[in-house]
Amino acid sequence: MEGKEQVKAYAEADFSQANAQFSRLFRSAFPEFRGEGRILDLGCGPGHILRDFALNFPGCTCLGIDGSQAMLDQGLAHVVQPNTSSVTLQCSCLPFTDDCRTWQVILTNSLLHHLADPGHLWQTIIKCAAPGALVMVMDLLRPCSEQAAAALVKKYSGQEPQVLQDDFYHSLLAAYRVEEVREQIREQGLDLQCSKVSDRHLAAWGRISP
Ligand SMILES: C[S@@+](CC[C@H](N)C(=O)[O-])C[C@H]1O[C@@H](n2cnc3c(N)ncnc32)[C@H](O)[C@@H]1O
């Protein structure tokens, strides 16, 4: 996501509901997590989710990577705050294979449907995850029709700028169904579960084998 108007609209939009849902899902999937270690956010965008993790888990080292410097630039001011975990944002594209097998937590929200090859996400997770790492993937869920997609856009982003509404519509139609994500996970030999978690989201989560 590099377009100036698109990036600005995304960074200014209110995704607090979806971001809170991501944090809730993480806490309910991994109640034992005490906030230590290294957290990697793939396709972090402006870094809102990573900022929430840094605030809630002050003992971590957090890295967000995103292929768009323009998106990262929108986020820096929000993320770097005192009394939080250390947060670094870095411009890198998937597949990302730095620091292999050293990340205790891998997060990603709303990236999967952007990738030309969804395998790049799962392969990155496999390469980066430390043994026993916690993985939380959330993404949009493809609706059953274009009409259903248009209804979701109207319901959730009818007040947002047109560029954001268009983006949401196209993203919904580019997203996967639960069965498709389960198949991607199975193909990669990962042990993650995947479910519908709202009328427009799915999530996949689990632990990487120790
Ligand atoms: C819809 S935004 C989600 C941003 C953030 N995760 C959030 O929840 O707000 C998708 C992000 O994925 C990034 N992206 C798309 N393809 C990518 C790739 N191959 N490698 C890294 N980042 C990518 C885009 O630049 C964009 O910032």
Side-chain angles (χ1 to χ4, degrees):
M1 291 169 76
E2 292 283 359
K4 213 171 164 185
E5 202 192 346
Q6 187 189 25
V7 166
K8 186 168 178 295
Y10 192 90
E12 288 175 356
D14 181 8
F15 291 111
S16 52
Q17 224 188 327
N19 294 349
Q21 183 184 17
F22 189 97
S23 296
R24 247 190 339 268
L25 279 172
F26 183 88
R27 282 177 187 277
S28 102
F30 307 114
E32 71 281 14
F33 181 63
R34 294 284 167 261
E36 285 152 6
R38 307 180 77 218
I39 301 182
L40 176 64
D41 184 351
L42 302 170
C44 64
H48 295 160
I49 286 180
L50 204 53
R51 175 198 56 198
D52 292 348
F53 270 74
L55 287 168
N56 289 325
F57 301 114
C60 299
T61 302
C62 305
L63 174 69
I65 66 143
D66 198 282
S68 164
Q69 185 62 50
M71 284 292 263
L72 295 174
D73 289 345
Q74 293 289 332
L76 284 173
H78 300 285
V79 173
V80 182
Q81 293 177 8
N83 305 319
T84 65
S85 291
S86 83
V87 177
T88 308
L89 301 183
Q90 176 181 314
C91 191
S92 298
C93 279
L94 265 66
F96 177 77
T97 51
D98 291 13
D99 297 340
C100 281
R101 294 182 70 75
T102 60
W103 299 94
Q104 281 82 25
V105 177
I106 302 187
L107 313 172
T108 176
N109 180 48
S110 230
L111 170 68
L112 183 60
H113 70 273
H114 279 274
L115 301 175
D117 179 355
H120 286 166
L121 174 62
W122 308 113
Q123 286 148 20
T124 296
I125 289 172
I126 291 167
K127 290 219 169 84
C128 291
L134 314 180
V135 175
M136 176 61 69
V137 175
M138 191 166 97
D139 207 290
L140 294 172
L141 171 69
R142 192 173 72 248
C144 54
S145 67
E146 292 181 1
Q147 289 76 7
L152 286 169
V153 172
K154 193 169 173 202
K155 180 171 178 187
Y156 291 106
S157 68
Q159 308 304 318
E160 302 286 0
Q162 192 60 45
V163 63
L164 208 63
Q165 295 190 38
D166 294 346
D167 212 28
F168 186 29
Y169 179 74
H170 294 300
S171 289
L172 281 166
L173 295 181
Y176 296 99
R177 310 283 300 168
V178 168
E179 318 77 65
E180 293 167 339
V181 173
R182 284 185 183 148
E183 180 59 19
Q184 292 168 19
I185 291 169
R186 200 193 56 73
E187 273 175 11
Q188 300 292 336
L190 278 162
D191 185 15
L192 304 177
Q193 54 183 301
C194 177
S195 298
K196 175 178 175 174
V197 293
S198 83
D199 58 354
R200 62 203 186 286
H201 293 108
L202 56 74
W205 67 91
R207 258 183 196 277
I208 299 298
S209 335

